Amino acid sequence: MAKDETQGFRLIGTRPDRPDGLDKVTGRARYGADISAPGMLHAAVVRSPHAHARIVKIDASKALALPGVKAVITRADLPTGLTGEDWNLQENTLAGEKALYDGHAVAAVAATTKLIAQDAAKLVEVTYEVLPHVTDVDAAMAAGAPVIRAGTADHSVPEGMHPNVVKYIDFGHGDVEAGFAAADLVRAQSYKTEATHQGYIEPHACMAQMGSDDRGEMWVCTQGHWYIRRMSAAVLGVDASKLRVTPSEIGGGFGGKTTIFMEPLALALSKKAGGRPVKLVMSRSEVLRATGPTASASMDVKLGMKKDGTLTAAKVMFRMQGGPYIGSSPVGEALSCALACYDVPNVMHEGYEVLANRPKAAAYRAPGSPMAAFAVESLLDEMCRELGLDPLKVRLKNAAREGTKSSYGPTYNRIGLVESLEATMAHKNLLAPLGPNQGRGVASGFWFNHGGETSVSLAIGEDGTVTVSVGTPDIGGSRASIALMTGECLGIPYEKVRVNVVETGALGVNEPTHGSRATFASGLAAVEAARQAMAEMCRRAAAEWDIDPEAVEWRDGAAHPAGPNAGKFPPMSIAEIGAKMGGSGGPISGHHEVTAGGFGASFGVHVVDVEVDPETGRTTVLRYLVVQDAGRAIHPAYVEGQYQGGAAQGIGWALNEEYVYGADGRLQNTVFLDYRIPVASDLPMIDTVIVEVPNPGHPYGVRGVGETGITPPLPALANAIHAATGARLRSLPMSPPKVLAAIKAKAGG
Amino acid sequence: MSRIHVTTTVNGDAVEFLADPRDSLLDCLRDQLNLTGSKEGCGTGDCGACSVTVDGTLVCSCLVLGVEAEGKRIETVEGMAKGNDLHPLQRKFIEHAALQCGFCTPGILVAAKALLAENPDPSESEIRFWLAGNLCRCTGYDKIIHAVQDAAAEMRGA
Ligand code: FES
Ligand code: FES
């Protein structure tokens, strides 16, 4: 069975059409809101217009009196006694004593039509006692800030902090003070980033049905249907196995669809309405007001550097709010990512998680890493300029490599930051001439990647074709890449493998498609399952040839006698084995389940050229380059797509996107017109270079590729804007008014 | 509120449905006619996922009332392929990996088809500005632009 799996691939690295392409270009693909069922009701949610308010009374009598209304639910319909994150999820699904942010759900209605449900929602009378609120992270920590929920803080928080400070983290190694003393230049700065939203174009949507026996079914757009099942079951107090959750095609997630926001409401409404199916689809403004944006951050960074660019010490202090519940902000990840690109002997990280009257934050692509990179990579750039050093050479000089003890603890195995920096330095974009008001910025970025709980099954068909069942919803082409790996392993054509994303009843528990794990972990499990099936097929051939199974080898999609001593038998193809399997021992399948370790860290380097209009402060991206280590690009077109999509989101975060809260604590920009994500005319082509430093922890060398790309754009753009204008922006987004003010302040000062 | 009877043509087929005066054309296509290819990303005319043509004019169907469809010719993504023959744009989108989640794809295909009907040889920047009303959060637009350029070239016979 010896096969060189590091080179000479037949399928890996090719770019076949994706299996779901035809359905998606013809409009046939079915997303969350695209299915209906007989007798189906429609739901609408009543949401708090206040950032912080005690719920005094909810009167649904007028709503219930409206013809066509079948059920209204409030928190009183949900079980009590939940604790920890389950309580947080229940509280976020439907407010209890207090509404904690603008848009917080307080009741839900099911009716025979969408319009009646919406009308009925307006008839639910909620009496609020409005309380003082706070939405800014620094303000929420300050003395006198309104207390969001006393007693939330865990034991880590030092005495004397405001009760909104709920978690403190610190870790590091070396002696930072000695490190700063040994530096030629020590600089410290503070940075702020606003919350942004994942901005998937498909709003959350589900259709659910649950009977009085608590058995339920759900169709839902999600990155992880086992998470939906477990969380919904916990919120409703039912057994997880009573729920069967089927994922729809998913219209983007970026981390935001790894948790529940409203799914238990559909189940509870269905049960209350006699088990009729209920469809619940969010509007865009509900998505923006009430589903997971990322955290907002306030950060201090201090770096020490020698004249030659060597980093001697680094210290970071991050404060992040992720809404009104503990554990929603990615402060721990942000700290761990902050200095992960570099080999710094002395590092110290500290962070606080803070509660605020904002929606419960969810994961967003490389959670925490973009903010951290904005702070660290901006200061690094400033110091390179001050010392007259090339920012790429300084990054290369300090780059983490195999054997480096990472800033967050573990020692790296084979990683590709050095190769990525070298590929960047050799790229033609660095030679492009720059004109007046133009500037170039560079930055590096990091993400851990992830393995996680994974269960995959594979079955050989009667005609020798192969079906793979995976539990990771396909957001960006993972069915294609898993089919390529399976076909590669079995020696059969790509077209002979069908990969299905299956429901919760069909496999063991799978974590969501998150952390850049689907192609890595489901791919790894599919390859292991294929190897099992392959071994069984060799046994079937051996039995028929009456030789030892050890004397059979698998290659080119067929069993072969392993050598001249094994006997002279013509190869037995997978199709022949499949056709005969009923009589040769029964169905042939493979199955693998694992909590996948061995994921390989991901590094990338971005270079951006901008032009800043000195009259308006508007930044135009002229040229953009993404260089990133993929480990191995299984389907390079979809790897490039991840790089380009990540860069576009990062550009949006850097230049435009932000949550804007009014003095009343209400979100001001609740539609795409005001929460403006990059459009086609905002961007240039995005150049990509795929570096391949194979991950030793995967049979084909795969690292995840999805996350890292959103990280470098934030600092790269800040660095480019500085290069173009001389003005240093330390707060995101770098919108035209802010850039203009910074240019003017510089001219004035 | 009483519903209004609407007779119209969708993708060449005569259809009729009952519309609440508040229903958008998008609601009617999706909920009454089961044409769920057109998507709702915003309902406010900002994302283009609901793009269709009405008498040849590109519109956001979430901003058109269902009752306005009376007597019109509506074309949606479901009408782009002729049987199993995909429109060149559809083929090129698959070939160029111009979709990831695919949720924006129906609207972008309809909008791009309308562009090429008006301008068979658009420049990169003309494509970018024409599609500026169609949000895609996944791709960074790069491969979408390439796919449109390639489809345009094929349709010109270039
Ligand atoms: S749904 Fe019509 S423009 Fe977004
Ligand atoms: S492919 Fe996902 S929004 Fe465009």
Side-chain angles (χ1 to χ4, degrees):
Chain A
M1 284 223 219
K3 175 171 182 344
D4 183 351
E5 282 177 342
T6 57
Q7 47 193 297
F9 293 119
R10 203 168 37 83
L11 297 178
I12 286 174
T14 61
R15 301 172 179 241
D17 291 351
R18 62 192 285 166
D20 50 326
L22 182 59
D23 286 348
K24 286 183 173 168
V25 299
T26 51
R28 281 201 296 267
R30 293 189 307 169
Y31 294 82
D34 293 345
I35 69 159
S36 298
M40 186 178 80
L41 303 173
H42 297 264
V45 177
V46 181
R47 295 184 182 278
S48 168
H50 305 295
H52 195 191
R54 192 167 306 288
I55 299 169
V56 179
K57 187 166 156 238
I58 303 175
D59 180 356
S61 53
K62 286 193 186 132
L64 283 163
L66 190 69
V69 172
K70 300 295 173 188
V72 175
I73 54 166
T74 65
R75 184 64 175 276
D77 292 284
L78 301 185
T80 55
L82 276 63
T83 56
E85 181 62 9
D86 288 345
W87 185 88
N88 294 341
L89 288 167
Q90 188 185 52
E91 177 74 13
N92 193 47
T93 305
L94 216 42
E97 286 171 21
K98 294 201 292 182
L100 294 171
Y101 57 90
D102 168 43
H104 198 167
V106 296
V109 183
T112 48
T113 72
K114 203 153 62 175
L115 290 169
I116 294 173
Q118 284 162 6
D119 289 344
K122 291 185 199 128
L123 293 174
V124 175
E125 291 172 338
V126 186
T127 312
Y128 296 98
E129 175 197 335
V130 178
L131 301 169
H133 67 272
V134 62
T135 54
D136 177 76
V137 60
D138 292 321
M141 292 177 79
V147 175
I148 290 166
R149 194 158 71 94
T152 306
D154 71 17
H155 52 80
S156 64
V157 178
E159 294 267 321
M161 305 286 298
H162 190 286
N164 290 341
V165 180
V166 293
K167 199 195 285 184
Y168 171 75
I169 304 173
D170 67 333
F171 61 93
H173 55 76
D175 178 343
V176 280
E177 292 318 319
F180 287 128
D184 296 314
L185 180 69
V186 176
R187 287 285 176 263
Q189 287 293 351
S190 297
Y191 301 85
K192 266 188 122 155
T193 60
E194 238 318 321
T196 54
H197 196 276
Q198 296 83 351
Y200 30 80
I201 309 300
E202 182 196 26
H204 296 264
C206 68
M207 186 184 77
Q209 183 275 323
M210 188 157 87
S212 55
D213 58 359
D214 289 341
R215 288 160 65 93
E217 304 224 355
M218 191 190 296
W219 163 269
V220 57
C221 73
T222 178
Q223 291 173 247
H225 34 308
W226 277 269
Y227 270 30
I228 298 286
R229 184 180 73 159
R230 172 172 60 74
M231 294 173 181
S232 297
V235 165
L236 298 175
V238 304
D239 295 343
S241 60
K242 287 223 163 114
L243 303 180
R244 182 176 172 202
V245 183
T246 304
S248 68
E249 289 296 332
I250 174 170
F254 314 109
K257 289 178 182 167
T258 55
T259 184
I260 55 166
F261 293 104
M262 47 128 199
E263 292 76 4
L265 299 178
L267 287 163
L269 284 167
S270 171
K271 183 175 169 183
K272 206 163 180 185
R276 288 174 72 169
V278 171
K279 189 193 260 194
L280 179 47
V281 181
M282 278 195 184
S283 68
R284 178 55 50 183
S285 76
E286 288 181 290
V287 171
L288 287 167
R289 286 168 76 203
T291 72
T294 187
S296 61
S298 164
M299 302 169 285
D300 307 326
V301 182
K302 185 174 175 184
L303 297 177
M305 191 184 270
K306 294 245 192 226
K307 279 203 189 80
D308 67 353
T310 307
L311 286 167
T312 59
K315 200 169 155 180
V316 300
M317 155 62 84
F318 294 170
R319 298 159 293 269
M320 288 189 169
Q321 72 71 32
Y325 310 106
I326 188 170
S328 302
S329 89
V331 65
E333 290 95 327
L335 293 170
S336 293
C337 292
L339 302 162
C341 289
Y342 305 112
D343 184 357
V344 190
N346 308 293
V347 294
M348 180 63 199
H349 310 75
E350 286 181 282
Y352 291 110
E353 176 169 31
V354 183
L355 303 188
N357 293 114
R358 295 201 189 206
K360 186 180 195 303
Y364 180 19
R365 210 168 197 153
S369 192
M371 303 85 148
F374 174 60
V376 171
E377 296 281 309
S378 290
L379 186 58
L380 193 61
D381 190 75
E382 279 194 57
M383 294 170 72
C384 291
R385 284 178 183 278
E386 200 169 336
L387 292 172
L389 300 170
D390 176 329
L392 280 170
K393 287 192 186 138
V394 168
R395 282 172 174 80
L396 187 57
K397 189 176 203 63
N398 293 288
R401 51 190 84 213
E402 186 170 2
T404 299
K405 181 179 165 59
S406 69
S407 57
Y408 59 100
T411 298
Y412 290 121
N413 59 14
R414 226 172 138 204
I415 54 172
L417 177 58
V418 166
E419 289 80 351
S420 300
L421 283 161
E422 285 168 351
T424 305
M425 289 158 106
H427 196 274
K428 64 170 174 38
N429 283 19
L430 269 77
L431 303 174
L434 294 170
N437 302 314
Q438 297 183 354
R440 177 166 299 147
V442 306
S444 311
F446 164 81
W447 181 247
F448 313 92
N449 285 334
H450 186 53
E453 283 172 277
T454 309
S455 171
V456 167
S457 287
L458 174 150
I460 308 295
E462 307 87 322
D463 57 355
T465 60
V466 173
T467 306
V468 183
S469 301
V470 301
T472 42
D474 177 355
I475 310 190
S478 56
R479 274 169 293 200
S481 65
I482 292 165
L484 284 168
M485 287 184 272
T486 306
E488 184 77 49
C489 181
L490 289 171
I492 58 175
Y494 167 75
E495 294 74 20
K496 299 293 181 192
V497 182
R498 176 168 179 147
V499 180
N500 297 320
V501 182
V502 299
E503 47 105 350
T504 50
L507 287 174
V509 170
N510 275 275
E511 269 180 47
T513 297
H514 67 170
S516 280
R517 74 175 214 97
T519 297
F520 168 75
S522 285
L524 175 148
V527 168
E528 288 302 327
R531 286 174 176 167
Q532 281 175 22
M534 210 151 69
E536 178 59 21
M537 290 189 286
C538 287
R539 279 193 287 274
R540 301 285 170 101
E544 175 146 344
W545 293 334
D546 200 16
I547 62 174
D548 194 287
E550 300 296 302
V552 178
E553 67 174 13
W554 189 267
R555 84 183 117 83
D556 303 330
H560 297 254
N565 296 341
K568 275 201 159 71
F569 302 102
M572 195 182 292
S573 71
I574 192 168
E576 291 170 69
I577 296 171
K580 289 193 281 202
M581 67 187 168
S584 71
I588 300 174
S589 60
H591 182 80
H592 190 69
E593 46 209 358
V594 64
T595 294
F599 49 91
S602 163
F603 295 86
V605 183
H606 292 200
V607 181
V608 59
D609 291 353
V610 302
E611 178 165 333
V612 180
D613 183 338
E615 306 287 313
T616 63
R618 184 182 197 280
T619 301
T620 303
V621 179
L622 303 171
R623 218 168 275 112
Y624 204 97
L625 170 65
V626 180
V627 181
Q628 188 180 315
D629 176 19
R632 173 89 60 210
I634 302 298
H635 191 307
Y638 289 104
V639 174
E640 291 160 5
Q642 289 296 319
Y643 291 3
Q644 291 163 337
Q649 285 186 317
I651 292 168
W653 197 340
L655 297 180
N656 287 317
E657 295 177 35
E658 65 177 316
Y659 264 45
V660 180
Y661 281 94
D664 57 2
R666 290 180 183 152
L667 187 63
Q668 303 292 293
N669 49 344
T670 65
V671 291
F672 271 141
L673 187 65
D674 302 322
Y675 184 90
R676 191 178 179 289
I677 70 173
V679 304
S681 55
D682 291 335
L683 297 174
M685 292 298 185
I686 298 173
D687 303 323
T688 57
V689 176
I690 300 173
V691 173
E692 291 188 304
V693 177
N695 168 23
H698 184 277
Y700 294 119
V702 169
R703 293 173 198 276
V705 296
E707 316 268 326
T708 303
I710 195 174
T711 293
L714 285 60
L717 277 149
N719 298 342
I721 290 171
H722 178 267
T725 65
R728 178 58 69 176
L729 278 287
R730 297 195 184 90
S731 140
L732 294 186
M734 297 176 283
S735 51
K738 269 157 104 179
V739 173
L740 192 59
I743 295 172
K744 289 211 168 117
K746 201 194 110 257
Chain B
M1 211 171 296
S2 71
R3 302 210 289 169
I4 296 163
H5 182 258
V6 178
T7 307
T8 185
T9 307
V10 179
N11 301 326
D13 295 332
V15 298
E16 44 191 323
F17 55 84
L18 293 174
D20 184 289
R22 293 180 290 169
D23 281 335
S24 68
L25 173 58
L26 178 62
D27 293 330
C28 297
L29 289 169
R30 290 179 53 85
D31 300 340
Q32 309 279 341
L33 301 175
N34 292 320
L35 290 169
T36 54
S38 306
K39 304 299 178 198
E40 179 163 329
C42 68
T44 51
D46 300 318
C47 79
C50 63
S51 298
V52 303
T53 58
V54 176
D55 284 348
T57 303
L58 181 65
V59 298
C60 294
S61 62
C62 71
L63 296 184
V64 176
L65 291 173
V67 295
E68 292 179 85
E70 178 67 37
K72 299 285 199 317
R73 258 184 322 106
I74 319 283
E75 294 283 337
T76 73
V77 69
E78 287 95 340
M80 267 182 87
K82 295 293 159 243
N84 284 324
D85 289 337
L86 295 182
H87 188 279
L89 280 161
Q90 293 173 305
R91 265 192 292 106
K92 293 298 177 187
F93 266 59
I94 298 177
E95 215 175 289
H96 285 266
L99 52 136
Q100 283 177 31
C101 80
F103 196 77
C104 66
T105 308
I108 292 187
L109 287 169
V110 169
K113 185 181 167 195
L115 165 66
L116 300 187
E118 209 166 278
N119 178 357
D121 190 9
S123 66
E124 178 190 334
S125 122
E126 284 169 331
I127 298 171
R128 287 187 180 276
F129 278 90
W130 182 276
L131 293 180
N134 290 85
L135 301 180
C136 174
R137 191 59 155 172
C138 299
T139 64
Y141 304 102
D142 190 293
K143 293 183 189 301
I144 292 175
I145 308 300
H146 283 299
V148 174
Q149 286 173 325
D150 198 12
E154 182 183 300
M155 288 166 72
R156 288 193 310 272

